[in-house]
Amino acid sequence: MTREKEVMNLLTSAWNSWCMLEDDPNKTIHPDDDVDFRKAIHDAQRIVATVSCREHNPELFK
């Protein structure tokens, strides 16, 4: 579970860093980029959660 927590914390850091790009006047962010990046973060979080579920209940999450 420790590795899963580490990955989740890294995903949080990635999101926070992404949000800071919007404040950088040298970067051009398309409005859809936020939606796409948010979805990618959520997809990664779901994968990490599934790994954890498989570890704790392998018969249910084959």
Side-chain angles (χ1 to χ4, degrees):
M1 182 66 114
T2 301
R3 280 188 258 160
E4 289 89 344
K5 279 185 174 181
E6 181 182 348
V7 172
M8 293 297 246
N9 287 335
L10 289 169
L11 290 170
T12 300
S13 294
W15 174 254
N16 290 338
S17 294
W18 171 260
C19 290
M20 285 189 268
L21 283 178
E22 294 176 338
D23 297 332
D24 187 339
N26 298 318
K27 301 290 180 193
T28 302
I29 305 294
H30 188 276
D32 290 345
D33 292 343
D34 279 342
V35 173
D36 292 342
F37 199 83
R38 183 182 302 114
K39 182 182 181 323
I41 292 289
H42 286 157
D43 289 344
Q45 288 173 329
R46 275 189 285 280
I47 292 167
V48 174
T50 301
V51 168
S52 182
C53 288
R54 283 188 191 125
E55 180 182 335
H56 290 81
N57 200 343
E59 290 303 313
L60 183 59
F61 296 96
K62 291 183 180 181

